Amino acid sequence: MNRPDRQRGIALITAILIVSLAVIAATAILSAGSMSIQRTSTLQETEKAWWYATGVEAWVKGILQRDARMNRFDALSDIWAQPVAGLPIENGFLAGQIVDMQGRFNLNNFGFAEAAGQDNEVAFKKWQTVFIRLFEQLEIEPAQARPISEAIKDWVDRDQNPTPYDGAEDNEYLGNNRQSGQPPYRAANRPMTSVTELMAVKGVTPEIYQALLPYVSALPVRTTINVNTAPEPLLRALAAQPSPLLEEFIRSRTEKPVENIGELTNSGALTGNDVDIGMLGTGSQFFQLRANVNIGNSHVAIYSLYYRPTQGAPLVLMRSTDSE
């Protein structure tokens, strides 16, 4: 007697099940379609951000070339030194800054003395002295500066002879093992191409690396330190004992940069007891662009290293993303 009712119940359950499956399938299709649309949108935004970033990179070439025609020296008041904090663009904004990389301590200078025809040991000691003073200015244990500088010299020079007493060549790095947390590797025995190589050098901890990062560079040739653009701790590291006259120059150099190093020595800001003036300069050829582009949910950050020759257009030597 109840068979028809039972059959109707089964049919109703079947219908509900079919509708549920249809709803699940429709939801899955809509979700997949939405994800696909979002993915496509993100790809388009990222592509657009890259176009803006490369556009900024090309624009900087013109800025650096125009500045070279306007000035015989480089300073923080130059047109290239003015940052762009947040320029509105379609669906986003971009920011950028140009940094004078010759205002930093070039780590490769530790190994370039021989190539420049200088007495390697004498030149190394001069740069080492500044490096040690920089550690003091940054309140990093000065005792670590000497062994680290000697390990850097061995990393960038061409031979396999460890620098006494704390140098490090292949024999030091090949002794690494999994237990120490470092795999075996060899010393580069060539100039650093990126400051990030510093992390591979004996004695450099993540804390020391982060402390040094704003003050060091890895440039492909021997360079001087531009006193008009060097960060304050590095400027103070040039002097055996920073004087009031040097402090006055640091305060006023944006408005009153020096055209030549003689102005600093004549004023007494730097003396014969301080750094060798041959290690200093007022002009620069190496600059770094740091550009950040945000469009929608996409973000692109590039770091481009420029070389500005004495004649001709600036060149982009290398480019990295998200990190120097």
Side-chain angles (χ1 to χ4, degrees):
M1 291 177 60
N2 295 327
R3 187 177 299 277
D5 292 337
R6 195 160 44 245
Q7 289 177 345
R8 280 195 295 273
I10 294 172
L12 181 59
I13 292 172
T14 303
I16 293 173
L17 179 61
I18 291 172
V19 171
S20 299
L21 291 173
V23 170
I24 292 171
T27 302
I29 291 170
L30 288 172
S31 178
S34 177
M35 288 179 64
S36 179
I37 291 171
Q38 182 63 41
R39 190 181 301 114
T40 301
S41 175
T42 300
L43 288 172
Q44 288 176 337
E45 290 171 350
T46 302
E47 185 69 18
K48 225 183 253 188
W50 268 111
W51 278 108
Y52 274 109
T54 53
V56 172
E57 190 179 76
W59 176 70
V60 166
K61 289 182 181 180
I63 291 292
L64 292 175
Q65 193 166 16
R66 182 150 62 97
D67 175 74
R69 292 195 297 266
M70 295 169 58
N71 300 306
R72 292 174 297 176
F73 56 92
D74 292 290
L76 296 175
S77 56
D78 290 353
I79 54 174
W80 60 262
Q82 312 314 309
V84 176
L87 182 66
I89 56 177
E90 183 183 0
N91 297 325
F93 65 92
L94 65 82
Q97 182 178 14
I98 302 172
V99 178
D100 179 5
M101 299 308 280
Q102 281 186 235
R104 297 185 175 192
F105 186 100
N106 182 5
L107 297 171
N108 288 327
N109 280 346
F110 280 134
F112 282 142
E114 187 178 40
Q118 303 174 7
D119 181 283
N120 198 39
E121 187 62 24
V122 172
F124 169 70
K125 290 295 184 183
K126 290 178 180 179
W127 288 110
Q128 185 183 54
T129 298
V130 176
F131 194 69
I132 293 171
R133 291 176 187 163
L134 180 59
F135 269 56
E136 294 170 349
Q137 290 294 323
L138 299 178
E139 298 183 350
I140 308 172
E141 176 54 51
Q144 299 182 72
R146 188 175 302 278
I148 288 176
S149 64
E150 291 173 356
I152 294 172
K153 178 181 181 297
D154 287 336
W155 186 268
V156 301
D157 67 16
R158 294 173 291 183
D159 60 48
Q160 278 291 332
N161 304 317
T163 301
Y165 294 92
D166 294 287
E169 293 287 359
D170 284 354
N171 59 336
E172 181 74 33
Y173 302 111
L174 290 174
N176 291 336
N177 54 57
R178 299 288 179 185
Q179 285 70 36
S180 67
Q182 286 278 8
Y185 55 89
R186 295 181 181 276
N189 291 133
R190 53 145 180 80
M192 292 183 182
T193 57
S194 168
V195 173
T196 55
E197 286 187 50
L198 193 57
M199 282 292 292
V201 173
K202 173 189 172 185
V204 178
T205 64
E207 294 74 23
I208 291 176
Y209 172 76
Q210 289 298 329
L212 289 175
L213 188 57
Y215 309 102
V216 297
S217 62
L219 302 177
V221 296
R222 180 184 179 276
T223 56
T224 54
I225 296 174
N226 186 339
V227 295
N228 288 324
T229 60
E232 293 182 18
L234 181 54
L235 268 179
R236 294 189 178 99
L238 301 178
Q241 187 65 45
S243 66
L245 290 172
L246 180 59
E247 295 297 333
E248 174 59 28
F249 168 68
I250 291 173
R251 286 192 296 270
S252 64
R253 63 182 175 147
T254 300
E255 293 76 26
K256 299 177 181 178
V258 294
E259 295 189 29
N260 58 73
I261 298 301
E263 293 181 38
L264 281 185
T265 56
N266 292 338
S267 69
L270 290 176
T271 69
N273 295 324
D274 298 324
V275 69
D276 184 339
I277 61 171
M279 299 161 62
L280 308 178
T282 58
S284 302
Q285 291 185 293
F286 293 92
F287 300 84
Q288 183 189 66
L289 164 68
R290 304 174 179 182
N292 290 276
V293 184
N294 293 271
I295 296 181
N297 295 319
S298 297
H299 172 76
V300 168
I302 65 169
Y303 296 80
S304 303
L305 178 65
Y306 292 81
Y307 169 65
R308 185 178 65 184
T310 52
Q311 298 290 332
L315 309 171
V316 175
L317 297 183
M318 62 179 293
R319 179 191 302 118
S320 61
T321 58
D322 300 320
S323 171
E324 292 190 39

